[in-house]
């Protein structure tokens, strides 16, 4: 469809208020995705004395729980939308519950011992993950209901990623800074957990207001939404969505591989700071190098997507990230400040890796609704969030397995050890070659994504 034809359709632009409120939600999602991935494994191994393999299993167990509940929450969110006209209830519940459980995750003292400490962290993090899923699944469903326009979705998700990257900087740099503010690491982790949990909860609570805006634009009614009666039916609704939507399968497969790639880098960043750059505080500079360029690059990826299409821009960002990650392998032989430059290039790519697939997901949902009917966005986003969770969980697991295999020595707070050379090499490889290989593999699945602008414009025209 030509530019003139698209302008004749004159889509309604989203208001700055709606965009701002939705974007603020990424203050919560960015904080939750960043801080536990960055410091939780390290908190377990280097503060509570938990073995690296056990620490990885704890993080993975919590993520598996996410995978189990996300499809259920997605289907339940669709039913709530049909019953009440809004997805807001689940979002508010998650926003109110998360700060308490997030603080409890980092409130466990080393004096409890590795076993009791590991169990306590697991239970608290399971509760945190549940609260987050109650918010995240309906939150990701909203863009498909807020607007049907191809470019407006890119605009909406672009501003969301601006806030997301700022949140990554805030939590990735500010969280460890709070932890290290005093001489007592136990109190430092507790302060970090309380302050971060409150900020995450507030961001989520503010974003919940956009659910009402989506409800006003949505054509969903109880008559157009399928009734799901049992937990088995709720799971099957997600598998049916996967089965009938080839674009969803391609996009989800790509996103899961990329979540795994970025998850390995995130979980390995603190170890790189401590044992490669030889400064625990260097993790702050790693995140500044990553997020600073990403903040500037997000509008650029939006412009590129308008000109060449979201899927081509997404492939460009993936290739750039692959090259930047691969270059970090040289830190095995020559560690130094040059690492920040490679991380900065990865940050430019990371902005596109966040905004573009999230802008493509509403396109997939609206394309499916053309044949399957409206009111199933939550089903799609439940599967999507579960897939993202799998990626990040396996990323942390991959790092912990690498540490265990290369002889990494766990410690409790206040003690000092020297890591073997094999462990340091393993840290670098999990921060460079592994994510590069995974990102390269994601390009193969992205090639199977066949939705283009014309397909989405045709859906919007049919709804007009």
């Amino acid at each position: 469809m030509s530019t003139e034809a698209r302008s004749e359709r004159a889509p309604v632009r989203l208001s700055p208020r709606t965009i701002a409120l939705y974007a603020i939600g990424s203050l919560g999602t960015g904080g939750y995705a960043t801080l536990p991935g960055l410091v939780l494994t390290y908190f377990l191994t280097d503060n509570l004395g938990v073995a690296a393999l056990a620490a990885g299993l704890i993080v993975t167990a919590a993520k598996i729980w996410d995978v189990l509940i996300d499809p259920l929450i997605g289907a339940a969110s669709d039913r709530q939308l049909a019953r009440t006209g809004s997805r807001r209830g689940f979002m508010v519940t998650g926003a109110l519950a998360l700060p308490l459980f997030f603080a409890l995750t980092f409130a466990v003292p080393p004096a409890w011992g590795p076993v009791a400490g590991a169990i306590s962290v697991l239970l608290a993090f399971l509760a945190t993950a549940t609260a987050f899923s109650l918010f995240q699944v309906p939150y990701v469903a909203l863009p498909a209901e807020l607007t049907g326009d191809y470019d407006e979705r890119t605009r909406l998700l672009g501003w969301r990623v601006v806030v997301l990257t700022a949140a990554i900087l805030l939590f990735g740099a500010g969280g460890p800074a709070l932890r290290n503010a005093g001489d007592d690491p136990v109190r430092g982790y507790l302060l970090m957990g309380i302050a971060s949990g409150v900020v995450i909860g507030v961001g989520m609570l503010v974003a919940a207001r956009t659910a009402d805006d989506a409800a006003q634009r949505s054509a969903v009614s109880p008559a157009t939404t399928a009734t799901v009666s049992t937990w088995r039916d709720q799971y099957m609704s997600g598998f049916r969505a996967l089965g009938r939507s080839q674009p969803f399968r391609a996009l989800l497969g790509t996103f899961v591989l990329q979540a795994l790639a970025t998850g390995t880098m995130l979980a390995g960043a603190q170890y790189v700071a401590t044992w490669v750059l030889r400064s625990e505080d260097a993790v702050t500079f790693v995140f500044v190098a990553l997020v600073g360029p990403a903040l500037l690059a997000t509008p650029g990826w939006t412009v590129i997507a308008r000109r060449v299409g979201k899927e081509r821009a997404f492939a460009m960002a993936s290739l750039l990230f692959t090259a930047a990650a691969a270059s970090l392998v040289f830190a095995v032989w020559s560690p130094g400040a040059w690492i920040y430059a490679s991380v900065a290039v990865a940050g430019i790519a990371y902005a596109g890796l966040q905004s573009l697939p999230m802008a493509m997901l509403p396109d997939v949902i609206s394309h499916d609704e053309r044949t399957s009917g409206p009111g199933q966005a939550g089903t799609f986003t439940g599967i999507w969030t579960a897939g993202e969770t799998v990626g990040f969980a396996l990323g942390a697991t991959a790092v912990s397995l690498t540490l265990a295999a290369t002889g990494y020595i766990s410690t409790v707070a206040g003690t000092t050890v020297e890591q073997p050379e094999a462990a340091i090499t393993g840290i670098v490889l999990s921060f460079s070659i592994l994510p590069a290989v995974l990102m390269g593999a994601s390009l193969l699945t992205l090639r199977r994504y066949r939705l283009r602008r014309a397909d989405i414009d045709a859906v919007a025209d049919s709804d007009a």
Side-chain angles (χ1 to χ4, degrees), residues 37-209:
L38 176 65
V39 302
L40 185 56
T41 303
Y42 190 79
F43 172 68
L44 288 162
T45 60
D46 286 53
N47 191 70
L48 300 183
V50 178
L53 182 58
L57 291 176
I58 288 171
V59 175
T60 302
K63 298 301 185 180
I64 290 173
W65 173 248
D66 266 350
V67 172
L68 293 175
I69 64 173
D70 285 348
L72 299 178
I73 292 174
S77 176
D78 286 339
R79 294 203 311 275
Q80 183 183 69
L81 175 65
R83 186 176 66 254
T84 68
S86 174
R87 300 183 187 272
R88 189 167 185 243
F90 278 12
M91 298 174 71
V92 170
T93 300
L96 294 177
L98 185 138
L100 171 63
F101 297 126
F102 193 89
L104 290 175
T105 300
F106 294 99
V108 180
W112 287 12
V115 175
I119 294 172
S120 299
V121 170
L122 173 62
L123 294 176
F125 196 50
L126 283 174
T128 304
T130 302
F132 180 73
S133 290
L134 288 172
F135 169 83
Q136 173 75 346
V137 173
Y139 176 69
V140 176
L142 294 181
E145 296 162 358
L146 284 168
T147 177
D149 184 71
Y150 183 90
D151 289 324
E152 278 298 280
R153 287 170 177 166
T154 307
R155 176 172 166 250
L156 173 66
L157 274 301
W159 281 108
R160 180 201 166 188
V161 171
V162 169
V163 177
L164 178 66
T165 51
I168 293 172
L169 177 60
L170 173 65
F171 289 94
L178 281 176
R179 176 195 62 189
N180 299 332
D183 296 330
D184 185 355
V186 177
R187 292 183 180 177
Y189 273 111
L190 179 59
L191 174 62
M192 181 193 72
I194 293 173
S196 300
V198 169
V199 175
I200 290 171
V202 169
M204 292 162 61
L205 196 60
V206 170
R209 298 177 63 184

Side-chain angles (χ1 to χ4, degrees), residues 295-363:
L295 280 170
L296 300 175
T298 299
W301 287 115
T302 299
V303 172
I304 293 172
R306 285 177 179 270
R307 292 185 176 180
V308 305
K310 298 175 192 178
E311 70 288 342
R312 291 180 181 174
F314 190 22
M316 293 166 61
S318 303
L319 285 168
L320 184 61
F321 188 94
T322 301
S327 71
L328 289 165
V329 72
F330 292 103
V332 172
W333 304 282
S334 180
W338 66 266
I339 291 174
Y340 299 124
S342 289
V343 171
V345 175
I348 294 173
Y350 185 71
L353 299 182
Q354 288 295 304
S355 61
L356 295 169
M358 294 302 296
M360 293 159 72
L361 178 60
D363 295 340

